[in-house]
Amino acid sequence: MALIEISSLKKSFGELQVLKQITFDIEKKDVVAVIGPSGSGKSTMLRSLVHLEEINGGSIRVDGDYLVQEGNYAKPQDIKKITAKMGMVFQHFNLFPHLTVQQNLEIAPGLLKTEAPDAIARRSEDLLQKIGLANKAKAYPANLSGGQKQRVAIARALMMNPQILLFDEPTSALDPELTGEVLKVMKDLAEEHMTMIVVTHEMGFAREVANKVVFMDGGDIIEANHPEEFFTNPQNERTKAFLQKNLK
């Protein structure tokens, strides 16, 4: 059984149909790059997986449990349990400006009270070491570069021990020279077999790190394949046109 099963997903904002019958599976350890032009429904699809968007039809099953089945959502306590299996990293970091880096990492697990404060502190220190920011534990977000903020946001998501990490264009708000440090952390996670879905404009990442590439346009999945086949032998004319424009 796939770790995430997405079936016939539909979403409209008024008259505008943003997702049209989106169907695909995510296996454990997959790194899926979702690419496509702006407005193609990529972020809406991703946000629907963690119930930040409510869908109008279709099903989402995570690790065997239905978040939504044929348009009908699970009970609120079950939704909470299912979405807790996923961590989300946003385009604009969403760090708490009044908390230090370490406090940003520790606030959510601290509120849950599922482990002792010293265990939480050890994990946050380990994660900051892992992302190369151990020396920034006491710093505030305002004193960090964009790349550092995004690395902290990734570490914060990992603090909740998710089975799956979702990234919504994690480098698009960064200067090009800061993009590499964030992609390196993501590449390291892929090598550790973290299951990831990454909405991205970074074709290099999609080609080198992902094991599946999904191309969306106009609310549809136009093409999905292994990176080698996807980039060297695209089947659809829309895919070819997109790649021609974006592979320079």
Side-chain angles (χ1 to χ4, degrees):
M1 183 177 64
L3 188 54
I4 301 180
E5 298 165 78
I6 300 163
S7 175
S8 303
L9 217 57
K10 286 183 278 193
K11 170 72 179 176
S12 297
F13 294 111
E15 295 293 303
L16 179 66
Q17 205 174 357
V18 184
L19 299 177
K20 308 168 185 171
Q21 303 281 354
I22 296 289
T23 298
F24 69 103
D25 290 348
I26 310 289
E27 304 291 339
K28 197 175 181 185
K29 301 181 185 178
D30 271 351
V31 178
V32 180
V34 183
I35 65 172
S38 296
S40 57
K42 307 183 299 295
S43 292
T44 302
M45 181 276 295
L46 198 71
R47 289 167 63 84
S48 71
L49 300 183
V50 282
H51 198 228
L52 291 173
E53 297 283 1
E54 287 217 347
I55 61 160
N56 305 126
S59 304
I60 299 169
R61 188 150 75 151
V62 181
D63 197 25
D65 296 318
Y66 278 104
L67 172 67
V68 54
Q69 187 172 16
E70 294 177 7
N72 299 306
Y73 276 89
K75 293 174 184 168
Q77 65 265 32
D78 293 328
I79 289 175
K80 201 172 174 183
K81 199 162 63 178
I82 292 163
T83 55
K85 296 176 182 182
M86 295 173 276
M88 183 96 173
V89 179
F90 298 90
Q91 183 177 345
H92 293 291
F93 329 127
N94 293 10
L95 300 177
F96 294 111
H98 63 291
L99 300 180
T100 67
V101 164
Q102 190 160 3
Q103 288 168 335
N104 263 283
L105 264 63
E106 294 177 7
I107 184 169
L111 289 170
L112 285 177
K113 294 185 166 63
T114 52
E115 56 187 321
D118 58 341
I120 293 171
R122 275 197 305 275
R123 284 207 299 120
S124 69
E125 286 161 15
D126 289 347
L127 277 170
L128 287 174
Q129 189 78 44
K130 179 176 180 167
I131 63 168
L133 290 175
N135 62 334
K136 298 291 186 184
K138 305 300 179 201
Y140 287 87
N143 301 120
L144 303 179
S145 71
Q148 289 170 333
K149 287 177 190 172
Q150 194 59 292
R151 284 187 279 160
V152 172
I154 294 170
R156 182 181 60 179
L158 289 168
M159 280 295 289
M160 302 305 289
N161 294 315
Q163 293 182 42
I164 306 136
L165 270 185
L166 311 178
F167 293 85
D168 190 7
E169 302 197 6
T171 59
S172 63
L174 303 179
D175 294 333
E177 63 267 26
L178 301 176
T179 295
E181 64 191 52
V182 174
L183 293 177
K184 185 190 179 302
V185 171
M186 294 167 66
K187 190 174 182 180
D188 290 346
L189 288 170
E191 286 170 359
E192 292 166 16
H193 306 300
M194 170 61 78
T195 307
M196 301 194 284
I197 308 174
V198 185
V199 169
T200 185
H201 291 295
E202 295 292 332
M203 295 299 124
F205 177 88
R207 193 168 202 157
E208 293 156 32
V209 183
N211 69 314
K212 289 182 186 173
V213 181
V214 172
F215 172 59
M216 288 181 66
D217 193 8
D220 280 321
I221 290 178
I222 306 301
E223 192 162 342
N225 215 328
H226 294 290
E228 184 59 34
E229 187 69 14
F230 181 89
F231 285 104
T232 59
N233 190 26
Q235 300 299 301
N236 190 284
E237 289 306 317
R238 276 153 86 184
T239 313
K240 289 175 188 173
F242 178 82
L243 291 177
Q244 212 164 13
K245 191 175 169 188
N246 288 275
L247 290 178
K248 290 174 183 173

